[in-house]
Amino acid sequence: MGTGTGYAGAYGDGASGDSSFRILHVSTGNVCRSPITERLTRHALADRLGDPLWGGLIVESAGTWGHEGAPMEANAEAVLADFGADASGFVGRELLDEHVIRADLVLTATRDHRAQVISMGHSAGLRTFTLKEFTRLVRAIDPATLPPLDDGMVERARALVRAAAALRGWLLAPTAEADEVYDPYGAPLPFFRSVGDEINQALDPVVTALTGAPARA
């Protein structure tokens, strides 16, 4: 597998196992939405944990029509700078079977991306959600029902995915569009910023549930 998200080796030591939990963010080109989501997730985890290894969580991204080897869009970098998140070292990747196989949780920008990931097989259905879908489900999960953080963040993350999958058929989106993050590719910076805000708001309850810690004021 290529280096893809820059310095993946700094965040884990290979295929997901008992000691790690891989989060894979997926969009189309892997130059706008999924890079923003990947780096905002890393930034939020660092903000809450202050730990460069984030308790065993590994955060990556790829694109269903990924621009292999491409840098992220300049407007995406500007959005990350607004949040104080690190955009350096990013390299685009095309989504491969091995990325899905290794992922413990796949979060996609749209329902079409979700369908494409699931169609790849690898028993991906129970661990693949749109980002906004997963946020909606996580909001409905009582944190007290998750394993305590003393058991480790990996165990807590796996339990969170199982709980969300169990709720999926019961907690439906108010509209189909509610689960979508629209593509800002080629749009001006203000639209990128609105997408960045949308992604950041969707990530906040997810990272809080994973870490047991709210964002610092």
Side-chain angles (χ1 to χ4, degrees):
M1 186 182 74
T3 54
T5 52
Y7 22 65
Y11 302 101
D13 54 0
S16 183
D18 290 343
S19 63
S20 64
F21 181 94
R22 285 183 181 270
I23 301 171
L24 176 66
H25 293 295
V26 174
S27 63
T28 302
N30 195 214
V31 292
C32 298
R33 287 168 290 181
S34 51
I36 290 172
T37 315
E38 174 200 310
R39 294 307 175 94
L40 286 181
T41 304
R42 292 183 179 187
H43 181 68
L45 288 167
D47 175 68
R48 287 161 169 80
L49 300 175
D51 176 355
L53 295 181
W54 304 321
L57 274 68
I58 302 165
V59 186
E60 303 174 309
S61 64
T64 55
W65 290 89
H67 297 241
E68 188 75 28
M72 73 174 77
E73 285 287 296
N75 281 347
E77 290 193 5
V79 167
L80 291 173
D82 289 343
F83 288 99
D86 183 10
S88 65
F90 182 86
V91 181
R93 302 193 301 182
E94 182 176 355
L95 181 67
L96 302 176
D97 288 270
E98 65 191 74
H99 302 147
V100 177
I101 291 167
R102 286 153 59 96
D104 297 286
L105 171 62
V106 184
L107 297 176
T108 70
T110 69
R111 291 167 295 148
D112 281 348
H113 297 134
R114 181 184 65 193
Q116 288 179 68
V117 171
I118 292 172
S119 74
M120 294 171 73
H122 315 303
S123 304
L126 290 177
R127 51 195 167 89
T128 303
F129 309 79
T130 76
L131 170 63
K132 287 186 167 183
E133 174 191 20
F134 193 66
T135 300
R136 185 177 70 255
L137 298 171
V138 164
R139 287 184 185 277
I141 297 167
D142 181 355
T145 64
L146 299 174
L149 287 167
D150 289 348
D151 289 355
M153 200 160 300
V154 168
E155 191 59 39
R156 185 179 178 94
R158 289 179 178 152
L160 187 68
V161 173
R162 290 193 298 268
L167 279 175
R168 177 152 43 189
W170 300 92
L171 192 63
L172 302 179
T175 66
E177 291 73 24
D179 281 344
E180 306 277 291
V181 175
Y182 291 108
D183 192 356
Y185 185 76
L189 182 56
F191 187 72
F192 266 82
R193 284 185 164 136
S194 70
V195 168
D197 287 339
E198 193 177 344
I199 290 170
N200 191 60
Q201 289 173 26
L203 284 173
D204 181 70
V206 173
V207 177
T208 297
L210 286 170
T211 63
R216 291 188 287 185

